[in-house]
Amino acid sequence: MPRRGHSTTIGKIAKVCHDRRVSEIRVLGELLRREQCAVSTVIPAAPDMRPGSLAR
């Protein structure tokens, strides 16, 4: 028994569109992770800016 929805033309088009969207989201997630890693290794940690922590 075939799965419902995938045997019709509309179902096949929907599956292709869904797969493409998932792939794009995965690629964007990977790019974001790489960018965040690159930024965190380039920029040093921010200095402690609390009022009582400044050197006098």
Side-chain angles (χ1 to χ4, degrees):
M1 180 178 197
R3 295 185 299 171
R4 277 190 293 164
H6 292 279
S7 60
T8 63
T9 302
I10 298 295
K12 290 176 185 177
I13 292 170
K15 182 180 184 315
V16 168
C17 291
H18 179 266
D19 292 345
R20 184 177 298 143
R21 205 170 342 164
V22 168
S23 177
E24 289 173 356
I25 291 170
R26 186 177 297 123
V27 168
L28 287 174
E30 290 173 4
L31 285 173
L32 255 176
R33 264 184 248 107
R34 282 190 212 137
E35 189 175 299
Q36 287 174 343
C37 287
V39 168
S40 66
T41 57
V42 171
I43 299 175
D48 192 6
M49 297 302 290
R50 287 180 285 173
S53 66
L54 296 175
R56 295 177 194 211

